[in-house]
């Protein structure tokens, strides 16, 4: 799944002159709930320019210093989105889930505005199906997941992601080719990529511990641990 986070990695670090950011370096995040605010902060940490929108002035004030731009606005009104210039963005996230009507209206507004890359939060499979029928290209069901975790999942081949306080991560991913076809001890994944394969799952089988003698096959699911950036880089290998 091609993700806006992967494409937006070309974005620049935040600085005072934000208006010169190119459209593909910006993302609009609508809704400052737990999901939206966490995702917006993670995008800022990665160097993106983020326009945050919410109808709650208290929430906008709370997060305004953390984002590139923040606006108190009713995103269910297409004219308001037009005034904010959201139609110029190539990516937008609808973080509103509890108000299904608002979620649908905002998603529809973004589609009509021609925003090509839309991610929308759904609180149920039925909600998600409605968004998909509208034509929303990316629907997520985060449930108990935080935005930061989802931000990692949508970047590429990660199937699950957990990060710990000491910048250490545990990831479930499809095995890249550098780890397949020979025992892990011979492929030297740990020495070459600074990550450790701790588990493996083949189709139709349960997860099992990985050892130096374990041979990973193409299509196997593996569990990998290591420093966050090392794990991110490893999961992006072909």
């Amino acid at each position: 799944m091609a993700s806006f986070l992967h494409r937006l990695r070309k974005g620049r670090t935040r600085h005072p002159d934000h208006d010169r950011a190119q459209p593909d370096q910006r993302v609009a995040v609508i809704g400052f709930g737990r999901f939206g605010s966490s995702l917006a902060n993670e995008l800022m940490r990665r160097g993106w320019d983020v326009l945050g929108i919410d109808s709650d002035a208290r929430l906008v004030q709370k997060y305004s210093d953390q984002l590139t731009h923040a606006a108190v606005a009713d995103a269910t009104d297409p004219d308001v989105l037009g005034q904010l210039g959201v139609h110029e963005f190539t990516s937008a996230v609808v973080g509103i889930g509890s108000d299904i009507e608002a979620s649908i209206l905002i998603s529809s507004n973004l589609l009509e505005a021609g925003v090509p890359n839309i991610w929308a939060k759904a609180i149920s499979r039925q909600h998600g199906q409605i968004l998909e029928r509208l034509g929303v290209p990316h629907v997520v069901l985060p449930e108990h997941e935080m935005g930061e975790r989802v931000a990692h999942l949508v970047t590429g081949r990660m199937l699950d992601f957990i990060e710990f306080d000491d910048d250490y991560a545990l990831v479930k991913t499809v095995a890249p080719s550098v780890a397949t076809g020979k025992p892990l001890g011979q492929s030297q994944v740990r020495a070459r990529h600074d990550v450790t394969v701790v588990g493996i799952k083949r189709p139709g089988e349960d997860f099992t511990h990985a050892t130096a003698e374990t041979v990973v096959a193409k299509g196997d699911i593996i569990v990998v641990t290591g420093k966050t950036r090392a794990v991110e880089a490893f999961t992006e290998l072909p």
Side-chain angles (χ1 to χ4, degrees):
M1 175 171 55
S3 74
F4 69 86
L5 285 179
H6 177 72
R7 292 197 297 274
L8 289 178
R9 277 184 180 172
K10 296 179 292 183
R12 56 193 173 78
T13 304
R14 188 186 186 194
H15 59 72
D17 191 5
H18 297 297
D19 293 336
R20 285 193 279 178
Q22 298 301 314
D24 64 348
Q25 296 174 316
R26 299 180 297 170
V27 58
V29 177
I30 303 172
F32 285 162
R34 191 173 72 168
F35 173 82
S37 60
S38 180
L39 178 57
N41 284 329
E42 175 65 12
L43 289 164
M44 288 295 298
R45 186 186 72 81
R46 295 186 177 203
W48 309 96
D49 282 352
V50 178
L51 166 62
I53 303 170
D54 199 288
S55 59
D56 189 329
R58 179 184 58 83
L59 289 175
V60 172
Q61 182 178 11
K62 178 180 179 180
Y63 294 108
S64 60
D65 291 339
Q66 302 172 31
L67 305 179
T68 311
H69 301 289
V72 180
D74 179 8
T76 64
D77 186 338
D79 292 335
V80 170
L81 291 181
Q83 292 169 8
L84 291 172
V86 175
H87 58 284
E88 299 176 357
F89 284 60
T90 57
S91 300
V93 179
V94 183
I96 297 170
S98 56
D99 189 338
I100 296 178
E101 181 179 357
S103 168
I104 293 171
L105 285 172
I106 294 168
S107 297
S108 297
N109 291 341
L110 293 172
L111 288 165
E112 291 179 3
V115 178
N117 203 21
I118 303 169
W119 292 82
K121 173 187 174 181
I123 60 171
S124 67
R125 294 197 180 279
Q126 292 82 359
H127 181 192
Q129 288 172 353
I130 293 171
L131 293 171
E132 289 173 350
R133 288 169 185 166
L134 283 175
V136 175
H138 306 291
V139 177
V140 293
L141 286 153
E143 297 175 343
H144 301 295
E145 295 176 325
M146 293 296 288
E148 179 177 349
R149 183 182 181 194
V150 175
H152 281 86
L153 300 185
V154 301
T155 57
R157 298 168 58 177
M158 294 186 193
L159 303 175
D160 210 345
F161 175 89
I162 301 174
E163 187 173 27
F164 303 96
D165 291 340
D166 56 353
D167 193 33
Y168 197 81
L170 179 70
V171 168
K172 181 170 71 173
T173 185
V174 178
S177 59
V178 295
T180 64
K182 61 180 68 174
L184 288 171
Q186 293 182 24
S187 61
Q188 298 184 329
V189 169
R190 182 185 300 179
R192 294 176 178 175
H193 304 284
D194 203 26
V195 300
T196 302
V197 179
V198 297
I200 180 173
K201 185 183 189 304
R202 294 197 170 97
E205 299 180 12
D206 294 329
F207 265 105
T208 184
H209 293 292
T211 68
E213 290 72 38
T214 299
V215 178
V216 181
K218 182 178 179 181
D220 284 350
I221 303 300
I222 57 175
V223 176
V224 181
T225 63
K227 290 292 186 180
T228 301
R229 295 199 179 278
V231 169
E232 289 174 342
F234 179 75
T235 61
E236 292 173 359
L237 293 173

